[in-house]
Amino acid sequence: EKEGYAHFMLKEIHEQPRALKDTLSGRIAPDGSGVTLSEINIPEEELREINKIFITACGTAFHAGLVGKHIIETLARIPVEADIASEFRYRNPLLDRHSLVIVVSQSGETADTLAALREAKRKGARVLAVTNVVDSSVAREADDVLYTWAGPEIAVASTKAYTTQLVSMYLIGLYLAQRRGTLKPEEMTQIVTGLRKLPDKVSAILENGKDIETFVRQYCDCSSIFFIGRGLDHAVAMEGSLKLKEISYIHAEAYAAGELKHGTLALIVKDVPVIALATQSVLFEKMLSNIKEVKARDATVLAVAMRGLEEVAKEADQVMYIPRTHQVLTPVLAVIPMQLLAYHMAVVRDCDVDQPRNLAKSVTVE
Ligand code: F6R
């Protein structure tokens, strides 16, 4: 039941601190020096020989995979491709027994994801599933399963499943890094410590969601919204854009900020709302230039920035800050304002938040 919340989606957004804690529980070494994923049983020699990782999934789960690509490449230094399952299954991917295929699926029953898993197994790859449903088809057919402990997700728009999938990507990245020795112990400890603090930081963002509502009231009648970001922020922008489209029916597009001037900038005109994600300190200067670029066309910019990057306020019309965290962990925090934005837009526009038109919670047909 909705437990006093107006919609399942809002309830599930607020369940995230708990869901993240549960997904981390028992998977972090008590002294914070690393991770313990007893459910993954890749033999030593096999693990050493993995030379390529593919992450495949649909929709929001695919967006978690895009973050996973950055994370695993950064932490474990193994090349990773993230691919939409309906593409992956038909493109004759170059897989062999040295490939690890990670499939991500909340329901564990998505037709294309399951078919991608079977294709990977047929080609001799090892398959690791990240799923939220115990004993789902994906869980049964994979070699190893890492469960997200989000609990049942009822709203069609995925929220707590996504953030727990992100946490799973960190756990897998750290696990591979640990087994292959690609991170310094102090880096490992820093990220593990950061992971542990995420649930409380998500709670803090949820308590200060009011700025989003102001923005929503101003822009609920717009016909299109753009989301821009670089690196991990680009992946989060894609999720923000999908969420907004699916429940508020406002057209939205996510763009890698540096790519705007190669075409899409033509659509950025007076008063067009642009959500600019700026959580990556190393890319911050570049992001500031992109914000200036859209401001020069009189767009209205709502920035979602990490604390410490306050300079963004000089350029953006409004800023919503997320608490400071380790650079690789920002997506878990940055997506919360995106979820709230989509949710409040849908409510103000009188849309059916939990059951958007034309969509089903579990897509078991192709
Ligand atoms: C969007 C959404 C969908 C699902 C996608 C995959 O909010 O929920 O894009 O993420 O249909 O579903 P699962 O994860 O069950 O395979």
Side-chain angles (χ1 to χ4, degrees), residues 7 25 27 30 42 76 118 145-146 165 189-190 197 203 212 230 241 244 247 251 254 270 276 294 337 342 347:
H7 300 95
S25 169
R27 290 169 169 167
I42 311 179
R118 290 178 181 154
V145 185
L146 185 67
Q165 284 159 358
T189 311
Q190 266 176 16
K197 290 183 179 162
S203 298
I212 287 287
R230 286 172 176 260
S241 155
L244 186 73
I247 61 167
H251 168 254
K270 192 168 169 8
V294 298
V347 170

Side-chain angles (χ1 to χ4, degrees), residues 58-61 105-107 110 156-158 243 246:
C58 302
T60 287
S105 175
Q106 187 282 128
S107 62
T110 301
V156 164
S158 181
K243 216 89 303 176
E246 76 173 319

Side-chain angles (χ1 to χ4, degrees), residues 297-316:
R297 273 86 192 167
D298 291 322
T300 305
V301 175
L302 167 65
V304 174
M306 184 153 78
R307 273 279 167 221
L309 302 176
E310 277 81 359
E311 214 187 314
V312 72
K314 286 191 210 144
E315 308 298 337

Side-chain angles (χ1 to χ4, degrees), residues 2 4-16 155 157 159 206 213 247 339-340 343-344 347 353-354:
K2 291 182 204 152
Y5 288 101
H7 300 95
F8 280 109
M9 184 183 177
L10 190 62
K11 169 175 174 265
E12 289 162 6
I13 287 174
H14 283 269
E15 277 171 352
Q16 288 177 109
T159 53
L206 289 172
E213 290 178 56
I247 61 167
Q339 297 170 343
L340 293 171
Y343 174 77
H344 291 295
V347 170
V353 174
D354 288 335

Side-chain angles (χ1 to χ4, degrees), residues 9 57-63 104-111 113-114 130-133 138 153 155-159 161-162 165 239 242-243 246-247 359-363:
M9 184 183 177
C58 302
T60 287
F62 167 67
H63 294 157
V104 187
S105 175
Q106 187 282 128
S107 62
E109 303 295 345
T110 301
T113 308
L114 191 56
V130 173
T131 180
N132 195 40
V133 178
V138 158
E153 196 178 58
V156 164
S158 181
T159 53
Y162 173 75
Q165 284 159 358
E239 175 57 9
L242 175 64
K243 216 89 303 176
E246 76 173 319
I247 61 167
L359 300 175
K361 182 67 187 160
S362 184
V363 185

Side-chain angles (χ1 to χ4, degrees), residues 36-54 72 76 78 96-103 124-130 142-146 171-180:
T36 46
L37 300 184
S38 50
E39 51 271 84
I40 302 184
N41 295 303
I42 311 179
E44 197 58 45
E45 1 28 281
E46 229 181 282
L47 195 123
R48 230 178 306 121
E49 287 177 2
I50 294 173
N51 56 17
K52 180 104 188 223
I53 296 178
F54 294 81
I72 297 171
I78 304 170
D96 59 26
R97 59 194 180 81
H98 300 310
S99 321
L100 174 67
V101 175
I102 303 176
V103 298
R126 191 173 182 104
V127 176
L128 164 59
V130 173
D143 297 295
D144 304 278
V145 185
L146 185 67
L171 290 171
I172 294 169
L174 291 169
Y175 169 83
L176 293 172
Q178 194 166 287
R179 293 206 46 192
R180 293 168 65 114

